[in-house]
Every structure is written in C-alpha cells, then in structure tokens.
Amino acid sequence: MAGKKVLIVYAHQEPRSFNASLKRVAVHELSQQGCTVTVSDLYAMDFEPRATRKDITGALSNPEFFSYGVEAYEACKKRSLTSDIIDEQKKVQEADLVILQFPLYWFSVPAILKGWMDRVLCQGFAFDIPGFYDSGFLKDKLALLSLTTGSTAEMYTKTGVSGDFRYFLWPLQHGTLHFCGFKVLAPQISFAPEIASEEERKGMVASWAERLKTIWNEEPIPCTPDWYFGQ
C-alpha cells in the first residue's frame, strides 16, 4: 500500500540462498505497491549480537555491578545507547510492518537475529513495566515471521516428531513481538526448501509474493496461548 514503510530484518549469510530469494521478492512486491522498504542485512552489516557494556556510551548508572537490562533502560532514556542500536530502533520506529526473514535454527532464530532482538528491543524503547503485551510501545505496528525449516511440514504437526510448528512460534511471536506490542500476522513458513524440487521452491516464493499483494488487508492472529497450544 502506497505510503507504508516496511523493515525487513534479514538473517542469512548467502546472497543466492532461498532466504535471499524470499527477501528479494518481498522487497520487489512491496516496492511495486509504493511502500518504502528498508532491509537490515545483519550478516552483511556484521551486526554485533552480544549485549555488553559497550552498548552504553555514557556513564553507567551503577559501575559497581553491571546489569545489562538496567543500564540499557537508563541509556535508552538518556539517548546514550551505541549508534548501531539507535540506527535499528529508528528503522523499527518508522516501520508500519516489520518482517523477520530467517532460517530456523534449533526451533528459534539464528544468533545474529536473537542479538538484534536482545539489543534493539530494549526496555524504554519497545516496552516498559507497565507497558507490555497489548500496551507495548510498538502496538501500532505489524510484525511477521517469514522463515524456512530443515524439516518437512509433516514433522511439524501435533502428531509429528517435532510437534506443531506453533509451539516454537510461542517465544518468538508471543514472548518477543507481542510482548513489545506488535500485532502479529500469520507466519510465512517455507518448509524444507533444501529437499524440495526447483518447481516446489518456485511455488513457495510465488505464494509469498502473492500473499504480500494483500498483506495490508490481513487481520493479526489472536495472540493468546490457545492459538499456540489449544486443540
């Protein structure tokens, strides 16, 4: 939709990967609609995933005992977080929709993307206490996970060996995105592209592009435990 701003946080090392194809088609489709699309290519940026005292540029509020959460919160209020964090927060702040594009590692995000969440979505910027879940600071924004798996769709069912795919989405969609207030759109899961045929892979990319044509009309999922764990 013209005028909308989209941030794609992209976590894959290989520019010719299937994840890269999904990212490229999203940039193309959303740009065609008149959206402004920004990509944070975390590996290309050599993004720092570790949450350390280097993230605070000013004086520590308690130099005797380092607590990252406390110091990041204070630094956020004083605008003394390090510039790479502030740059990413600005991109998030400006976005109407944030898409996280990544391959599933151990039922979760790759370390570099976990570090992005740890450092960028800090207290004072993304939430406060009180000021989380439905009243999280990013409550006027949409978020969407677009991910690839190694295992097949059959393995990610209630009776499958890995359990329902919604189980691993709980900490990411609910405990992170919704905690910060995001309204979460249904995930885009491309199952087992490495063992799929070329034709099937093309179909996965095409269905993502097709979905993005009407993405602004979608309703968020109901962010309740029942969506994840209900029968």
Side-chain angles (χ1 to χ4, degrees):
M1 190 187 287
K4 295 281 193 186
K5 292 190 172 173
V6 181
L7 170 63
I8 301 176
V9 185
Y10 165 70
H12 200 288
Q13 309 87 334
E14 173 52 61
R16 291 166 304 179
S17 64
F18 185 73
N19 270 267
S21 297
L22 293 170
K23 181 254 299 174
R24 264 195 310 277
V25 79
V27 171
H28 177 75
E29 174 54 42
L30 292 163
S31 300
Q32 290 281 91
Q33 294 175 21
C35 301
T36 304
V37 185
T38 304
V39 177
S40 286
D41 182 342
L42 299 182
Y43 287 104
M45 292 157 66
D46 202 19
F47 187 80
E48 170 60 78
R50 295 170 301 177
T52 68
R53 63 178 64 213
K54 289 182 192 158
D55 290 351
I56 290 91
T57 60
L60 295 178
S61 65
N62 182 358
E64 304 302 309
F65 183 90
F66 183 72
S67 164
Y68 185 83
V70 169
E71 296 296 349
Y73 182 38
E74 292 303 321
C76 184
K77 289 191 284 193
K78 293 189 300 211
R79 309 283 304 148
S80 61
L81 287 165
T82 190
S83 62
D84 65 333
I85 295 177
I86 288 175
D87 289 348
E88 293 304 300
Q89 289 179 341
K90 188 163 179 288
K91 295 175 195 175
V92 172
Q93 198 63 64
E94 290 177 354
D96 298 295
L97 166 65
V98 176
I99 297 172
L100 305 183
Q101 177 64 59
F102 62 96
L104 195 69
Y105 280 20
W106 299 122
F107 280 21
S108 188
V109 291
I112 202 164
L113 180 50
K114 177 61 163 60
W116 184 92
M117 293 170 165
D118 291 348
R119 296 175 68 231
V120 176
L121 302 176
C122 69
Q123 184 177 0
F125 168 70
F127 68 95
D128 209 337
I129 301 177
F132 55 92
Y133 285 125
D134 288 340
S135 48
F137 293 175
L138 307 178
K139 62 180 180 291
D140 297 326
K141 302 177 184 303
L142 298 169
L144 192 167
L145 302 180
S146 172
L147 63 112
T148 61
T149 68
S151 302
T152 60
E154 296 74 52
M155 291 167 79
Y156 283 116
T157 55
K158 280 200 167 61
T159 53
V161 68
S162 296
D164 195 288
F165 67 86
R166 294 183 182 204
Y167 302 160
F168 71 69
L169 293 173
W170 170 256
L172 298 172
Q173 290 188 166
H174 191 79
T176 308
L177 297 173
H178 184 51
F179 186 87
C180 297
F182 279 110
K183 292 176 176 63
V184 181
L185 298 178
Q188 184 75 16
I189 307 181
S190 302
F191 288 104
E194 286 177 28
I195 58 172
S197 68
E198 187 60 29
E199 203 152 306
E200 287 168 325
R201 278 197 294 273
K202 281 183 177 150
M204 291 180 206
V205 174
S207 70
W208 177 221
E210 193 58 34
R211 179 184 172 191
L212 288 167
K213 288 185 196 308
T214 54
I215 200 76
W216 304 106
N217 303 333
E218 289 190 16
E219 287 296 316
I221 64 162
C223 249
T224 61
D226 200 53
W227 188 88
Y228 298 89
F229 305 110
Q231 299 310 307

